[in-house]
Amino acid sequence: MAAPAKPPAASWLFTSFHGNGDGLHLSVSTDGGHQWRDLHKVFLTPSVGSKLLRDPHILRGPDGVYRMVWTTGWKDKGIGYAHSRDLIHWSDQRYLPFMEGVPGTANAWAPETIHDPTTGRYVITWSSDIEGRFPQTRRSGQMNNRTYYVTTKDFRTFTKPRVLIDPGFDHIDTTIQRVGRRYIAVFKEGDNQERGRWGPIQWAVADRVLGPYRLMPKPLVTGERAEGPTLVTDGDRTRLYVDYYANGRYGAFETKDWREWTDVSDTVALVKGQRHGTVLKVPSPLVQTLEAAR
């Protein structure tokens, strides 16, 4: 009799929200990110800021703690933060008012966190549109976001917000991943809905987490109403997921060299109704605990 198959040493979790921002949803994949299974539970309900939970991003730090940041509201000038060791029991939620003291700030959207191994600090990024800044790219019917950041060691004290990425145009949804020896930032160029112009998914490259970032000449996805990019590196392949927000579905693209991309949307099955989130690798026993918590 054949021995039972061993469970994978690690699984993937896809964070997301449903509707306008009801809370943290999780789905799981054990085949490298192709087939996803909903865990059918809201793991955290928002209670800070405007009490939305959109664009959730979770990072597992070197200390094993899972730290989540999210968009708390369309016009909030800060972001949400909570941490956990098992993704079930969470700390008290905190509102981090990064842009409250910056006059003219309209928003603080889609935050993410990355750990900088050279400094031991965490880097938190998000997009903001600030009145009076970058006037050369302000357009009717379009926002004027740039990627801002702060750093922290303890999530109690933070540096002042600064611009991290200014590619010369409005953009949102920046996600940064280390690929080999370089850092790659992928972001969504802003739409101009008045003109029916849908911004492409662009990318930029740097040698350090804090840049400077060099905009690459060829976008990754063009001509599509796609946003919320997130990356997964699995072996020698990198997969890019994008949220086709107007069509209620996700798309996926793969590359080995960041030059040639293949549309693999037909080979992936994501959870219906999930919205802009990100992917993280976790130990498979944790997934079993999450499934039991349903």
Side-chain angles (χ1 to χ4, degrees):
M1 183 176 180
K6 293 182 179 180
S11 301
W12 297 95
L13 288 180
F14 211 131
T15 72
S16 68
F17 70 95
H18 288 203
N20 192 39
D22 61 337
L24 173 64
H25 292 254
L26 297 173
S27 58
V28 61
S29 172
T30 57
D31 67 352
H34 292 277
Q35 305 300 310
W36 295 87
R37 182 175 74 257
D38 194 357
L39 292 182
H40 296 289
K41 178 180 172 67
V42 176
F43 287 87
L44 186 69
T45 300
S47 63
V48 297
S50 296
K51 297 184 179 180
L52 296 182
L53 194 156
R54 300 173 60 88
D55 321 320
H57 178 266
I58 298 176
L59 173 73
R60 186 173 188 261
D63 56 1
V65 175
Y66 295 95
R67 295 177 171 87
M68 181 168 68
V69 292
W70 66 91
T71 304
T72 61
W74 290 99
K75 297 181 179 180
D76 286 0
K77 299 172 179 58
I79 65 170
Y81 169 75
H83 64 267
S84 172
R85 286 197 172 272
D86 59 9
L87 302 180
I88 300 170
H89 305 94
W90 288 88
S91 68
D92 290 341
Q93 299 175 38
R94 290 164 51 206
Y95 178 74
L96 305 180
F98 293 146
M99 305 300 281
E100 292 285 357
V102 181
T105 299
N107 60 297
W109 287 352
E112 294 203 6
T113 305
I114 186 171
H115 185 259
D116 186 349
T118 62
T119 63
R121 299 181 68 87
Y122 295 91
V123 179
I124 305 175
T125 65
W126 69 93
S127 298
S128 283
D129 178 355
I130 303 176
E131 184 179 357
R133 297 191 184 182
F134 309 106
Q136 67 278 12
T137 57
R138 190 162 293 280
R139 303 285 186 271
S140 173
Q142 186 169 347
M143 296 189 72
N144 201 25
N145 291 281
R146 296 299 190 273
T147 300
Y148 290 80
Y149 80 97
V150 297
T151 70
T152 182
K153 273 187 173 290
D154 55 11
F155 286 81
R156 291 289 175 182
T157 59
F158 305 89
T159 59
K160 291 183 178 181
R162 299 175 181 270
V163 174
L164 179 63
I165 300 175
D166 172 21
F169 50 78
D170 165 43
H171 67 280
I172 58 174
D173 298 349
T174 297
T175 186
I176 299 174
Q177 187 170 114
R178 186 173 181 175
V179 180
R181 295 184 177 181
R182 60 184 182 171
Y183 290 89
I184 296 181
V186 177
F187 42 87
K188 153 77 174 181
E189 184 173 346
D191 293 336
N192 190 313
Q193 297 193 14
E194 283 188 357
R195 302 178 181 180
R197 178 187 178 278
W198 316 122
I201 304 296
Q202 303 271 12
W203 63 301
V205 176
D207 297 323
R208 301 181 300 123
V209 176
L210 295 182
Y213 283 86
R214 305 178 298 279
L215 180 67
M216 296 294 101
K218 183 179 179 182
L220 302 180
V221 181
T222 57
E224 304 277 2
R225 296 187 71 175
E227 65 179 17
T230 188
L231 299 169
V232 174
T233 298
D234 187 19
D236 63 345
R237 296 177 182 270
T238 297
R239 187 177 306 115
L240 167 69
Y241 298 95
V242 293
D243 182 0
Y244 289 114
Y245 61 98
N247 300 323
R249 68 179 182 88
Y250 261 81
F253 303 82
E254 280 189 356
T255 186
K256 287 186 176 181
D257 56 13
W258 284 82
R259 291 189 296 270
E260 299 295 329
W261 290 82
T262 302
D263 189 336
V264 295
S265 300
D266 291 342
T267 71
V268 300
L270 276 73
V271 173
K272 185 177 181 180
Q274 79 169 51
R275 300 287 312 281
H276 180 177
T278 55
V279 181
L280 69 155
K281 184 180 284 189
V282 299
S284 289
L286 175 59
V287 172
Q288 297 169 9
T289 302
L290 293 171
E291 290 178 327
R294 290 186 297 175

